[in-house]
Amino acid sequence: MSAQRWEPEGVTTERNATRVGPGPGQNATEAATGPEQASAPEPLVRVEDLSVGFPAADGGAATSGPGAGAATVRAVDGLSFTLEPGAALGIVGESGSGKSTVAFALLDLHRGTGAQASGVVRVAGRDVLTADDAALRRIRGGVAAMVFQDPLSSLDPYLAIGDQIAEVYRVHHRGASRRAARARAVEVLDRVGIPDAARRSRSRPHEFSGGMRQRALIAMALSCEPRLLIADEPTTALDVTVQAQILALLAELRAETGMGLLLVTHDLGVAASSVDDLLVMRAGRAVERGPVNAVLSAPREPYTRALLAAVPRVEQACGDRAPVPVPAPAESRREAGTTAETAPEPATEAAPGGEPKAAASDAAGRGLAGPAPTTAAAAYREASGAAEPELLLEVAGLRREFGGRRARTVAVDDVSLTLRAGETLGVVGESGSGKTTLGRMIVRLLEPSGGSLRYRGREIGGLRERQLRPFRSELQMVFQDPVASLNPRRSIGESIADPLRAAGRLTGPEIVARVRGLLERVGLDPDWYHRYPHEFSGGQRQRVGIARALAPEPRLIVCDEPVSALDVTTQAQIVRLLGDLQRELGLALIFIAHDLAVVRQVSDRVAVMRGGRIVEEGETDAVYDDPQHPYTRSLLAAVPLLAGAERPVEAVATERVEAVV
Amino acid sequence: GPEDSDSKGAGGGSDAPRKGGTLTILNSHPQSDFDPARLYTSGGGNIPGLVFRTLTTRNREDGAAGAKVVPDLATDTGKPSKNATVWTYTLKDDLKYEDGSKITTADIKYGIERSFAAELSGGAPYLRDWLIGGDTYQGPYKDKKGLDSIETPDEKTIVFHLRKPEGDFPFVATQTQFAPVPRDKDKGTAYENHPVSSGPYKVVKNVGDGERMTLERNPHWSEKTDAERHAYPDKVEITAGLDSAVINQRLSTGSGADAAAVTTDTNLGPAELAQVSGDKELAGRVGTGHFGYTNYLAFNPKVKPFDNPKVRQAISHAINRTSVVNAAGGSSLAEPATTFLPERDFFGYTPYDHFPAGKTGDPAKARKLLAEAGHEDGLTITLTHSTVKDFATSPEVATAVQEGLKKAGITVKLQGLEDNDYSEKTKSVKDAPGFFLSAWGADWPAGGPFLAPIYDGRQIVKDGSNYNHAQLDDKAVNAEIDAINKLTDLKAAAKRWGALDKKIGEQALSVPLFHPVYKRLYGKDVKNIVISDWTGVLDVSQVAVR
Amino acid sequence: MIPYLLRRVAGAVLVLFVLSIVVYAMFYAVPGDPAKLACGPRCNPEQLAQVRDQLRLDDPLPVRYWHFLQGLFVGQDFSTGTSVLHCDAPCFGLSYQNDQQVTELISQRLPVTASLALGAMVLWLILGVGTGLLSALRRGGITERVLTWFTLAGTATPVFIIGLLLLMVFCAQLRWLPFPSYVPLTENPEQWAWNMLLPWTALALIESAKYARLTRSSLLETLADDHIRTFRAYGVSERAIVGRHALRGALPPVIALTALDLGSLFGSAMLTETLFGLPGLGQLLVHSVRTIDLPVVVAVVLVTGAAVVIANIVADLLYAATDRRVTLT
Amino acid sequence: MTSEVLATTQAGAPAPASGARQVWRRLRARKAAVVAGAGLALLVLLALAAPLLSALTGQDPNTYHDDLVDSARGGVPTGTWGGISAEHWLGVEPGTGRDLFIRLAYGARVSLVVAVGATLLQVLIGVIVGIAAGFGSRFVDGLLSHVSDVFIALPMLAFVIALTAVVPADFPRPLLLVLVIALFGWAGTARVVRAQTLSLKKLDFVAAARLGGSGPFRVARRELLPSLAAPVITYSAILLPSNIVAEAALSFLGVGIRPPTPSWGQMLSTATTWFRADPAYVLLPAGLLFLTVLAFTVIGDALRVALDPREASRLGVGRRRTRNANKADNANKVDEAGGASVSARVSGAGAADTADMAGATSAPQKGGPA
Ligand SMILES: Nc1ncnc2c1ncn2[C@@H]1O[C@H](COP(=O)(O)OP(=O)(O)OP(=O)(O)O)[C@@H](O)[C@H]1O
Ligand SMILES: Nc1ncnc2c1ncn2[C@@H]1O[C@H](COP(=O)(O)OP(=O)(O)OP(=O)(O)O)[C@@H](O)[C@H]1O
Ligand SMILES: [Mg+2]
Ligand SMILES: [Mg+2]
């Protein structure tokens, strides 16, 4: 930390020469209580009455007078909270409830984007919203660092990852030499569990797997040694073991350096194990807030209760789950500046009397209710009456390499699997183990380097683009990176409509109706047809991606982390939707996810991948209940438990790190 | 000649010129031909005249006195036989090349013979037409025997045998083909890279095919044998390939070496003239001269409706010479013309205006004539011009003609041809357009070279370059031309050329438009400005820079 | 990489081959007779026939083309009259108009044009990309406006006006610079640069607006990308963001355009060359086109063509170097 | 945000405008674009109304006025400022005395038609070829790249000189110029488009479109074109002035528009030498050319922004402005410190917002030189 580094007013701290690594002479309590001892009443973060509105680009159709055309979408509405130094606050809530928007406001990332933020946001004693550009730059990264929700498109595609981290590091450590910064980059990459960090630091983002990119972003944040870490869904792309490792790392840093943590997540299990306080958001407002244990064990609000109820449990076998009552997502409002007085209380509206009844009323449209039959595949088997459904996919010895002669990576190595119509194959495994690569090969976005790939009896591994055309609409993929998979210049409606238009079977109005229907089914407002991708929250984009994959009525969908960014209720809705389609159409699914609970919930069979190979494969319950491979066992052990208070965080953390290493 | 390839300015410095210094020449066209056989210049050319001496040369004096031919290598301007078919020259003593070797008449003969070689084509046609056997001779490379009609009885005497009497032979002997070329130094087409100098300067550097040239004193040249060239500067630096606007800008600015600079090919354009005339200092550095040159509208009577004399007359009456003169740069750069011969006595200028158009045209008379010709509802014709920006055959002049004729009910369509295409088409007997802009300049200051190529029926060139655009083949005219050519009394000849011009003018075979005036800037330090009526431009062999 | 280059070079040769055929065919169709021009203004038919024969103009097109190829690969013999001149391969023949070896003509002029084009390129890239950068950084600011007007004035003005203005102001009025006259780099580097300054400036002024606009718009485009947000969120200064992250993404079109302009400048800087008295290829080309001097035309077009092709190969290599996702195949 | 504003927007909300109408609305919101558009419309009007103006002023573009020029001084117009008078609003042409205003008006016709025509054609060919090369197979890319190399390598000026000699004299000149300029210019667009396409095709959304069963044409049209719009529009806005200037250069070489038809390029090329003796003669066509270029650039820029949904949403809202709004907002808070109710604060913030929005729409901050 150099001399000219900005220090917040009113806070005298002893934080000096802090490192991410275990620092001598400081223990958690000291660090955590440090600022308070310095008689600074100012908390690390103080948010008061924060409101953020986005201009609706297509708004004002009816009005054209001056000042009109300024319709806004109020994403955050009068939110207040504080965060003490060294403390951790979790923000949970349904997709689109404004979590990311709040996180952005803490660094005033809305500045210059057209979004209007009002209220007070103070970070380390500095008013962020009114700070000038230079002061703001010092806060950004140096005081508070951000891990973005879309790690995949948040890295510069042209630069080596290590250089990107080094650059950011040098912004806040003026004295650091180029080499020192690079060394630091390698160090933090290593810290977040990137294997062979020195070599991989020279890779560009497209050479990283989704989870690796996410970890790279976390590494970037850590490299700056911030006093506050704002992590927006930092572990969505991580498998549970790595997730556990990252969470443990964060806990460790908090303990060591007194770093404050603002964790935005939809995963209550993650929240339970990593934060002190929990803020439950809905429709831009705080629904409930309190100590994490209190909120999770004795939720006061019906909405919170509903959320909790929807959490899938890994120990629960697929068949023996009761239908999940889910409150209707309250986000499909085109709402602007609804004031506190006039806005109906979302939670109450959704579930008056504390009983979430909306689920039932919405059931038909959203396909959420109704008892789940054993598995979709079984159901389809029953429905189609066939003894054995058609064998869709046969993969044998599939292999894929990247890179030239010198820097060769074998991403997928000798993978064999089969898939029948109506069946779901869950694929879990380590980050970077080749799941995405395998998925992309199956839909033939990538050409296999070796092995055979047969779809409905026909070898498609070596086919050229033109020959593939007939299969295209049958093989779909939900991309791991919803941002990159949507054309920023086209409205999402048009993107979804595209396969339909390409097929040319439906008329224009039919297509629009169809797309609106699809939007509705994935839980989005059909009126958002004309919105552009950047106007959506992370989870919403993911659902757009799902809707698009569904549009051409495929026979097989490779879902690459389709629900990772979704809150549990929305997740349940999507899972249900996929199940329904599977039953109706005999859809085959390859469900790539790191969330073992969800995988268990949806899969007939599950394959566990590691280092490009399938290390274990079998009937879901069999694998879950009696894992054979040690890696599978460590995976299952690492699943964060919802009743997070049961085990002390530190204990879990060390345990898991050991499990991984 | 057809185009004054080199000449295109009179004034002078005050104090006496001295030797020394470096003269800079800023030109737009590189001296890409520097072989004496290939040059087509009037009076031996400006820059070539510094290197090549010829049997005779132009008199280097201001005005009309400069239109006289004077001896150069020879002791006189030539002794004609009785009927002017045999011309004899004797060389001066002590004539040397740049290497100190002696200049002999055999070298002059060889120089002339070279110009017959196909490899070295480009020179004027007179020797081919005049010398006995010249029409079939193929040059010394193919035809080692040489041309019998040139005799060199001794080292100092040379005799020319002509097919018919040519009183103008001394003028022709000024052309660079009459420069001596030592046979053993001849490298054919490569000779131009290092031509052997007989004049006051030798070529020491020639880069980019005449783009950059340096001339230095030829130590073996002696003032005693050369009464014409002064050769004051020690060195001449030639820079060519410059934009004409830039040349004029540099001359007017005159910084550094540009103070001692002249140009041998760039005139002041109208815009520059407008600017210069407002500046006393600059106006004092403008050399004005007249070269025998006429810009005219040519008719091809083989093409309808120009076969009808009435139509040609109507057009002659309708022409608005004021507009045309303005288009050519205004009254300071162009003098309206009604005669084909320029207004100088040595051409035999005889004033006439057969079809008076006044200053701005006589549309009434023109309409009347058109009606008589059967075009009472007006007439649509096409005027062919070149697209090159020369204020002579260029679009500006064409549009001025077009506008003028409009008042007489004549609609003129313009056909602009790229320069090369234009010159080829207009000089073709077969494809010549009916009505086009043309110009003609004298190869030497006499009526003969001005009228004969244009109106002599025997000079209609079927495949090649035809200048008899009207394709006039009139026995009487041909006979008169032959008769005048016999005259060695130039004054008498001039009178008859004038009369012939007037006579032919009656047929309205062309509409004389204007005679250009040459105005050229020269540098601050340039002295001894001589501008003869032969070339119309400042004579570089006379200028001094000290 | 190596096979890629080999393939590109083979492609380049093919392009040049096609180019020469196009030029031959085109100029064969052009009316006009080079012999007449070579023969002089007052040529008679016999002489003309001799000249035609000498220039082999009576041969049919394929034969002439064949001779051209022969010259290129084995050389050609020409008679100067007194001796036989052997022109070594690659021989582009002799100029119809002045009997100079075309190879020599080109080799004298190529350095001039190359100096002009390359120097101007450096300047316009600095000016153009710099302006583009600045205007993307200072969006809506006074700097942006001034720069924008400046470069726009450049695009909107033909070179013959800009050049003349520059000459008037800097050489005639202020006398800061000499009137340009080409001095070879090998002779006197300082004089070379000094004399080339104005021509470079003129071309750069004209071209830079293009680059400024393109850089700016590509930059704004990339600045809207998500990854830029990351660096903003880490307090990286706007300048570093634009300069390091956005610029890279904005470069491909700029590189493509530079290659293009550089290549085509070789054959079309004729107006600039004339104005500044630079004996370059452009002037030579126009002159030889006007005189239907086919050997010279073909040679110049091939040389400029080679420049274009090479520039494009370099551009593609550069392009793959800036964007690693692009593979050279 | 006041509640009235909300009421109206909510009423209008269910029918979101799509595509072109949105772009049009965004364009209209930019003052600079509106001014440039108006300027351009005026120019087009000037061109279209040339005969009318000719009748109105009683001047013909080709009538000589020999009395208005000083013949002895090279034909420079008599009178001040290039001979401006009641009859000749912008003075007369040196040498001929033709009316400049009318010639400029007529000149606009040719220049605009040639420049716009050539640009459109160039861009059309360029985009098609560029996409095909960037998106097509290796063979197609190789072939098209080589073809475009040939066209780039052909020096335009030289070939135009040759071409004009081959093309029949009665072939309409403006059309010939359009064809020639386009023919020699499309390769540039193609290269730029190709470079961009190569980048784009690596993106996941293109992969997604392929998965959706879109053939190459569809992908090109639906996915690539929108993303190419920005560079292509910017590039066209640059090409346009170069094409006007190309026309001037061709005129300078004598192969452009045929006299006596006026064109700006031809006026410029003859005017060059006059800019000391008669500055007005140069400044007029040069000024008009500049304004045209400016207008096209501004419109091009505005169009580029309007076509980008990401840029469009921050349309008119500059960085500084947001900050001011926040300051105002803060001031509000200080005023109401203590007892202020939540609603009061919210409406206070709303007022600042509204003021900001209003300001923003009337004074765009971003982009555009005007
Ligand atoms: N630029 C924008 N323009 C318009 N609306 C926007 C924009 N960005 C976000 N929104 C809307 O604001 C709301 C909140 O978005 P936000 O990204 O904060 O949600 P989130 O809670 O992070 O959701 P998720 O868990 O899905 O990421 C969403 O309804 C979203 O559609
Ligand atoms: N284009 C590429 N170039 C080089 N290496 C690559 C490329 N794409 C992927 N890899 C490498 O291949 C391996 C497998 O990547 P893949 O994206 O399939 O992992 P994953 O299982 O999807 O991981 P995650 O759960 O983190 O998304 C990783 O080591 C990755 O770095
Ligand atoms: Mg989010
Ligand atoms: Mg992945």
Side-chain angles (χ1 to χ4, degrees), chain C residues 248-287:
Chain C
R248 217 176 259 266
L251 278 181
V254 175
I255 293 175
L257 195 62
T258 311
L260 182 86
D261 280 343
L262 190 69
S264 56
L265 208 58
F266 269 76
S268 20
M270 179 261 160
L271 292 180
T272 320
E273 287 176 2
T274 312
L275 195 63
F276 293 101
L278 300 171
L281 289 176
Q283 261 190 320
L284 180 68
L285 179 64
V286 170
H287 180 75

Side-chain angles (χ1 to χ4, degrees), chain B residues 323 326-327, chain D residues 59-70 75-78 82-83 88 91-100 103 281:
Chain B
S323 293
N326 282 344
Chain D
Q59 296 298 336
D60 176 272
N62 297 326
T63 303
Y64 278 48
H65 301 278
D66 291 317
D67 47 330
L68 294 177
V69 297
D70 184 348
V76 71
T78 49
H88 304 286
V92 298
E93 187 184 60
T96 63
R98 293 185 287 198
D99 187 77
L100 268 185
R103 284 187 74 77
Y281 184 34

Side-chain angles (χ1 to χ4, degrees), chain D residues 176-235:
Chain D
L176 180 66
L177 286 182
V178 166
L179 291 178
V180 157
I181 296 177
L183 190 70
F184 287 94
W186 63 265
T189 325
R191 289 238 146 234
V192 171
V193 170
R194 175 181 173 268
Q196 209 70 338
T197 306
L198 283 178
S199 279
L200 287 173
K201 77 170 181 185
K202 302 274 163 187
L203 298 181
D204 267 357
F205 66 75
V206 175
R210 277 201 285 150
L211 276 188
S214 296
F217 290 103
R218 210 180 165 77
V219 173
R221 199 157 46 95
R222 298 275 171 152
E223 308 292 335
L224 299 180
L225 261 186
S227 305
L228 287 169
V232 166
I233 286 171
T234 311
Y235 194 66

Side-chain angles (χ1 to χ4, degrees), chain B residues 1-3 32-33 38 40 110 115-119 121-126 128-129 135-138 141-142 144 186-190 192-193 207-209 211-212 239-243 245-246 249-250 252-255 258 275 387-388 418-421 423-425 427-428 440 443 449 453 459 461-465 467 524, chain C residues 30-54 79-83 85 94-100 104-105 108-109 160 163-164 167-169 171-173 175 177-184 187 271 273-280 283-284 286-287 289-292:
Chain B
E3 276 112 35
S32 59
D33 278 330
R38 305 197 71 164
Y40 192 136
Y110 183 68
S115 72
F116 286 80
E119 290 90 344
S121 57
Y126 301 100
R128 278 184 328 251
D129 295 348
D135 47 346
T136 55
Y137 183 59
Q138 300 221 359
Y141 309 139
K142 289 214 176 79
K144 303 264 188 250
D186 184 16
K187 296 199 175 67
T189 52
E192 66 172 356
N193 299 331
V207 184
D209 199 24
E211 202 103 44
R212 292 288 134 92
T239 305
L242 300 173
D243 182 68
V246 174
Q249 189 62 52
R250 284 177 71 163
S252 71
T253 307
S255 59
D258 290 352
Q275 188 211 327
T387 54
V388 87
E418 203 275 313
D419 199 35
N420 182 33
D421 195 16
S423 78
E424 206 165 288
K425 283 232 169 66
K427 287 169 198 161
S428 145
W440 186 248
D443 283 344
Q459 294 209 26
V461 186
K462 284 254 149 33
D463 183 17
S465 305
Y467 289 89
K524 290 198 273 269
Chain C
V30 168
D33 184 351
K36 279 194 183 154
L37 280 163
C39 192
R42 307 260 323 258
C43 211
N44 64 26
E46 296 80 50
Q47 228 182 344
L48 192 64
Q50 284 178 31
V51 173
R52 254 192 215 129
D53 183 53
Q54 156 110 10
S79 155
T80 63
T82 53
S83 60
L85 180 115
L94 295 192
S95 155
Y96 287 165
Q97 298 308 321
N98 54 18
D99 296 308
Q100 296 269 320
E104 217 164 276
L105 281 176
Q108 279 165 354
R109 284 154 189 271
F160 46 85
L164 213 54
L167 284 173
M168 286 208 154
V169 174
C171 305
Q173 227 65 49
R175 304 199 182 187
L177 291 165
F179 279 95
S181 108
Y182 183 73
V183 178
E187 211 168 90
L271 292 180
E273 287 176 2
T274 312
L275 195 63
F276 293 101
L278 300 171
Q283 261 190 320
L284 180 68
V286 170
H287 180 75
V289 166
R290 291 219 142 121
T291 53
I292 326 176

Side-chain angles (χ1 to χ4, degrees), chain A residues 54-55 73 75 94-101 149 233 531 534-540 565:
Chain A
F54 294 107
V73 175
E94 69 187 358
S95 173
S97 57
K99 304 185 294 292
S100 300
T101 311
Q149 185 176 9
E233 313 268 15
R531 280 216 200 173
H534 73 278
E535 293 172 85
F536 287 89
S537 81
Q540 289 166 343

